[in-house]
């Protein structure tokens, strides 16, 4: 599994973007689909890695 130890700026960007989608009422599957294409902006190496990171963040938000 992907480590959460990526650049601080990248993690802040993922959190900001995903939170904006959540606030807008976008469904989780749509958030995942859109953010997969943002791997370069998030500083991640692949769409699969991006999907995994976003899914983990979404799950963490549901558990809080």
């Amino acid at each position: 599994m992907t480590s959460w130890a990526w650049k601080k700026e990248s993690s802040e960007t993922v959190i900001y973007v995903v939170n904006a989608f959540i606030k807008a009422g976008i469904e989780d599957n749509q958030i995942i689909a859109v953010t997969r294409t943002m791997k370069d902006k998030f500083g991640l190496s692949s769409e699969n890695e991006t999907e995994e990171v976003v899914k983990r963040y979404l799950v963490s938000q549901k558990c809080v």
Side-chain angles (χ1 to χ4, degrees):
M1 282 191 127
T2 303
S3 171
W4 276 96
W6 76 91
K7 295 181 205 168
K8 183 177 180 182
E9 311 85 59
S10 296
S11 62
E12 290 173 351
T13 303
V14 170
I15 291 167
Y16 178 85
V17 169
V18 173
N19 283 342
F21 284 133
I22 291 169
K23 282 185 176 184
I26 307 299
E27 294 179 19
D28 290 357
N29 62 338
Q30 293 173 319
I31 294 171
I32 293 165
V34 170
T35 55
R36 278 180 60 90
T37 65
M38 301 175 75
K39 67 179 180 65
D40 293 332
K41 300 294 182 196
F42 294 157
L44 298 168
S45 62
S46 70
E47 288 184 0
N48 289 338
E49 182 180 20
T50 304
E51 179 178 339
E52 185 176 321
V53 167
V54 170
K55 281 181 178 179
R56 285 174 140 189
Y57 182 69
L58 287 168
V59 167
S60 75
Q61 294 305 296
K62 305 285 186 218
C63 295
V64 174

